[in-house]
Amino acid sequence: MLTFLRSHPQSTKAMARPWVLSRRTRRTIEGYLFALPWFIGFFGLLLGPMVASLLISFTSYDMVSFPRWVGLANFARLFTDHLFWVSLGDTAYYVAASVPSSILLALALAILLNQKVRGIGIYRTLFYLPSVTSSVAVALLWTWLFDPQLGLIDIMLRAVDLPAPLWLGSIAWAKPALVLMNLWSIGNSIVLFLAGLQSIPADLYEAAYVDGAGKARSFFAITLPMLSPTIFFVLIVSIIGSSQIFTQAFVMTQGGPLNSTYFL
């Protein structure tokens, strides 16, 4: 035993100080300490509110008095309400129309903004600015643009002898108008696609050019496959964002006309 302790002095120190943590334990504690802000945010700001919302949905709660347990009464009232199914259909329409159109337009603009031309930074800034503008300000701006009498869009349509719809005042055009407005605020998707395009190695395009591939062939054989993770991410984010539409319809139409923009 004495021979072992003489040849392993660190073991002697550990026996003398049993409270000293091992290197592996210290590294584990350090790792959890570094991850502590994320755990606090996840449990305190995400998982906690989700569980609380789930529990509150089974109660009658006015945010003043103590919640009163009502079981499934809220859900029974929800699923028997005609407006719930109307809002579900309106939201599904908006998601189905806005997500594909916004992704296609964002990808096309990202390809244009990926070119090496003079002043490209200014163009990128201009296309991104609408994404950081207040939703209420954007809604008020487009309310004026869609005005059937003074709106710029209808004035331009009448100038070229095209029919000018009522837009927000028409059941048939209210939701397409909001979809059109959504295409003005796709700056975030453009930035993501631009980052994805710039991460594609230029060697792939050079090799395709040497093999005789044109721009169209290179796009479908190189650009789209390499952008598939970015496209999938933008798709998921766009579906989530479109499903949560509220501000625009609340400010511009209050759910009308005749509940045609009564979103979920």
Side-chain angles (χ1 to χ4, degrees), residues 30-176:
E30 291 171 357
Y32 279 113
L33 287 176
F34 276 111
L36 185 60
W38 184 88
F39 283 116
I40 294 175
F42 176 74
F43 289 103
L45 302 177
L46 184 63
L47 184 61
M50 289 176 60
V51 174
S53 299
L54 178 63
L55 295 177
I56 290 174
S57 67
F58 295 101
T59 66
S60 176
Y61 183 42
D62 58 4
M63 300 181 67
V64 177
S65 57
F66 192 78
R68 180 173 57 86
W69 185 266
V70 295
L72 298 176
N74 292 329
F75 293 95
R77 178 183 176 186
L78 175 68
F79 291 120
T80 56
D81 189 350
H82 171 69
L83 285 180
F84 169 72
W85 300 105
V86 172
S87 67
L88 209 61
D90 290 342
T91 305
Y93 178 99
Y94 181 82
V95 171
S98 64
V99 171
S101 58
S102 61
I103 290 179
L104 291 175
L105 182 60
L107 179 57
L109 291 175
I111 293 174
L112 292 176
L113 295 174
N114 194 37
Q115 308 302 315
K116 296 180 180 179
V117 296
R118 185 183 299 273
I120 191 64
I122 298 176
Y123 293 111
R124 292 174 181 174
T125 303
L126 292 176
F127 276 100
Y128 183 72
L129 277 178
S131 299
V132 296
T133 307
S134 168
S135 300
V136 175
V138 172
L140 293 175
L141 172 63
W142 280 87
T143 300
W144 169 73
L145 291 174
F146 285 132
D147 188 276
Q149 300 298 328
L150 305 175
L152 183 61
I153 296 178
D154 280 7
I155 291 176
M156 295 175 61
L157 290 175
R158 287 193 293 266
V160 293
D161 294 329
L162 290 177
L166 293 176
W167 298 111
L168 301 177
S170 169
I171 298 177
W173 285 98
K175 284 193 289 288

